């Protein structure tokens, strides 16, 4: 059965439409949604079968998947990451919400995709009201990975939600149209050594926050 295409206003997301998307996630569904960078594909972080489905759609091994978690704010970070010192926390608090993925040491509570304990977790708090309100209403982070034009062309992303729907409508349960997405992914910053090491340069510049 084809996915539902749900159009949501990016600035003022109606509660009933957010709830519609949350209902899909709570039933173990996989959705596609806008962020402050590129469109993402994901599911409820607590649903192992849904996470495996996301990995199958992307053609990646769950044990080796570098999936990030989208959170509403910083309150969930301590649930999944540890070893965050005060100085690091102050920086990420200033930088988020924003176009960054911060890597931390995984805590014992971090989900084990494919049964494998993770050494690190990537945390995202996008500056996008649709996905943040969705996560807030769900009550759990969302496992997230980017929607690419092709997994062979790592730097090309699909920006038109109608084209995304055509490509993924038989693979996912819901596609949220929140307007055109960007073509530059988040900046990845490694914080595991109490430092801010640039892993991937993307849409965010961490320097002003250091």
């Amino acid at each position: 059965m084809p996915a539902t295409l749900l159009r949501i206003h990016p600035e003022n997301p109606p509660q009933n439409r957010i709830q519609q998307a949350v209902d899909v996630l709570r039933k173990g569904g996989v959705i596609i949604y806008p962020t402050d960078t590129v469109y993402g594909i994901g599911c409820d972080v607590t649903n192992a079968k849904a996470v495996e489905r996301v990995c199958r759609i992307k053609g990646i091994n769950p044990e080796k998947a570098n999936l990030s978690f989208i959170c509403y704010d910083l309150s969930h970070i301590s649930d999944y990451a540890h070893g965050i010192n005060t100085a690091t926390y102050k920086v990420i608090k200033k930088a988020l919400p924003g176009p960054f993925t911060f890597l931390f040491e995984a805590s014992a509570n971090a989900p084990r995709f494919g049964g494998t304990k993770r050494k690190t977790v990537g945390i995202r708090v996008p500056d996008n009201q649709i996905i943040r309100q969705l996560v807030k209403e769900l009550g759990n982070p969302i496992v997230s990975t980017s929607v690419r034009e092709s997994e062979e062309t790592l730097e090309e992303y699909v920006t038109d939600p109608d084209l995304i729907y055509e490509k993924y409508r038989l693979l996912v349960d819901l596609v949220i149209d929140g307007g055109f997405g960007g073509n530059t992914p988040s900046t990845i910053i490694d914080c595991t050594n109490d430092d801010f090491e640039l892993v991937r340069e993307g849409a965010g510049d961490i320097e002003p926050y250091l």
Side-chain angles (χ1 to χ4, degrees):
M1 185 174 176
T4 300
L5 178 62
L6 184 65
R7 302 187 193 278
I8 300 181
H9 193 282
E11 300 300 328
N12 298 293
Q15 180 61 28
N16 64 328
R17 300 209 167 192
I18 292 295
Q19 188 61 54
Q20 186 177 341
V22 169
D23 289 344
V24 172
L25 290 168
R26 285 187 175 144
K27 292 175 183 176
V30 173
I31 71 170
I32 290 176
Y33 43 83
T35 72
D36 53 354
T37 56
V38 300
Y39 266 79
I41 177 172
C43 62
D44 185 339
V45 72
T46 65
N47 192 309
K49 288 186 177 180
V51 172
E52 290 175 5
R53 187 174 158 206
V54 170
C55 292
R56 284 199 304 272
I57 292 170
K58 291 278 289 186
I60 52 181
N61 184 339
E63 296 181 8
K64 300 178 180 178
N66 293 318
L67 303 172
S68 57
F69 303 165
I70 291 184
C71 301
Y72 173 72
D73 56 23
L74 300 185
S75 61
H76 280 293
I77 288 183
S78 60
D79 295 336
Y80 301 107
H82 69 80
I84 305 174
N85 62 32
T86 302
T88 299
Y89 185 84
K90 286 181 177 178
V91 171
I92 64 174
K93 187 175 182 180
K94 288 189 290 183
L96 297 176
F100 300 96
T101 299
F102 290 103
L103 302 181
F104 301 102
E105 289 185 22
S107 72
N109 295 328
R112 300 188 175 206
F113 307 142
T116 300
K117 187 180 186 306
R118 314 203 69 70
K119 293 181 179 179
T120 61
V121 292
I123 301 294
R124 282 270 279 134
V125 182
D127 188 11
N128 178 282
Q129 283 301 309
I130 293 174
I131 188 60
R132 287 188 70 212
Q133 291 302 318
L134 199 158
V135 171
K136 184 180 183 182
E137 185 66 27
L138 178 65
N140 298 320
I142 290 178
V143 165
S144 183
T145 182
S146 57
V147 174
R148 290 196 176 105
E149 181 69 43
S150 166
E151 293 310 306
E152 284 73 42
T153 55
L154 298 183
E155 299 304 320
E156 293 186 17
Y157 300 87
V158 192
T159 60
D160 185 337
D162 288 327
L163 295 179
I164 291 173
Y165 179 75
E166 285 304 312
K167 181 175 181 178
Y168 288 94
R169 64 191 183 91
L170 299 179
L171 298 174
V172 303
D173 302 292
L174 177 74
V175 176
I176 296 176
D177 176 356
F180 273 78
N183 197 36
T184 304
S186 64
T187 294
I188 300 178
I189 305 291
D190 188 342
C191 301
T192 57
N193 294 315
D194 296 332
D195 198 1
F196 293 90
E197 180 183 348
L198 181 65
V199 177
R200 179 183 71 190
E201 187 172 355
D205 180 8
I206 196 63
E207 289 298 327
Y209 305 104
L210 297 179

